[in-house]
Amino acid sequence: MKIKVNDFIEKVTEGTFEQNSLEISKDDLLQESPWALNKAKEQLTKDLSENKLSQVMIHVVDAEFPIDFYVETGVINLPFDDAKKVTHFFDDEAEVETKFYLSTRCDYLNASKFHIDLISENEMNDTEIKQTIGIMKENYETSAENFKNKDENEAEKED
């Protein structure tokens, strides 16, 4: 879908985009089950066919720490929270193609507690879904390792 940059910024900052959420178990994530991404793809494809921007949040319900993944239709690798910064990369009146991005938010992922990946230029095929679930698994495992190390580091400080 093509969208003018200023329309994109307006829709995102005003919250006039489709928002949905899914829950996934840690086991499904670690076994790289694609069901949640397939559901997200269905929703995003439907929304795009209706010329709507879309965001699907996938929450890992049984993780030891909060971690959320967001599959979004964006115009550049910035999360919806930073939509106003899109003008740093495009002219306000430019008309650009939307793409699919995966954002990961977790306090234990990295210093910024955030990571974003371009996952598809157009409609998320099976290969891209497989790659995306791999990214999600890797981000979860990195966060789990950092979470575990945080506990060990705090225990060492107490000794």
Side-chain angles (χ1 to χ4, degrees):
M1 163 179 108
K2 284 195 172 249
I3 189 168
K4 283 191 174 180
V5 169
N6 53 2
D7 290 342
F8 172 80
I9 293 169
E10 182 180 313
K11 287 178 188 289
V12 172
T13 55
E14 291 178 1
T16 54
F17 57 91
E18 295 300 310
Q19 290 180 287
N20 291 280
S21 61
L22 298 168
E23 294 182 342
I24 189 172
S25 72
K26 184 171 61 173
D27 287 344
D28 279 353
L29 179 60
L30 293 174
Q31 292 169 14
E32 299 186 39
S33 172
W35 75 267
L37 281 171
N38 284 327
K39 293 289 283 181
K41 174 190 172 181
E42 286 174 25
Q43 186 64 51
L44 271 67
T45 302
K46 175 188 171 293
D47 295 339
L48 282 177
S49 74
E50 298 170 2
N51 287 323
K52 297 177 182 174
L53 294 173
S54 189
Q55 177 188 68
V56 177
M57 189 259 293
I58 302 171
H59 175 70
V60 184
V61 290
D62 55 352
E64 309 82 79
F65 46 86
I67 183 167
D68 295 309
F69 301 97
Y70 296 83
V71 184
E72 302 170 332
T73 50
V75 296
I76 195 163
N77 65 338
L78 288 171
F80 278 10
D81 292 348
D82 291 334
K84 291 180 180 176
K85 294 180 182 175
V86 171
T87 57
H88 296 252
F89 304 94
F90 298 107
D91 180 60
D92 286 7
E93 292 299 315
E95 190 170 78
V96 294
E97 252 337 299
T98 56
K99 300 174 182 173
F100 292 95
Y101 292 92
L102 171 73
S103 300
T104 306
R105 292 188 188 280
C106 179
D107 288 348
Y108 304 100
L109 181 61
N110 54 31
S112 67
K113 303 174 183 180
F114 176 81
H115 187 78
I116 189 166
D117 295 278
L118 171 65
I119 56 174
S120 180
E121 295 280 339
N122 49 33
E123 60 184 47
M124 281 183 26
N125 61 39
D126 289 344
T127 301
E128 291 166 332
I129 286 174
K130 186 174 171 58
Q131 290 169 338
T132 303
I133 194 73
I135 293 167
M136 292 168 66
K137 177 184 176 184
E138 185 177 311
N139 287 348
Y140 173 81
E141 288 173 338
T142 298
S143 299
E145 185 66 27
N146 292 340
F147 179 77
K148 187 179 111 185
N149 290 342
K150 171 202 74 85
D151 288 345
E152 289 173 3
N153 290 339
E154 287 177 5
E156 287 174 12
K157 287 178 186 174
E158 291 173 8
D159 288 346

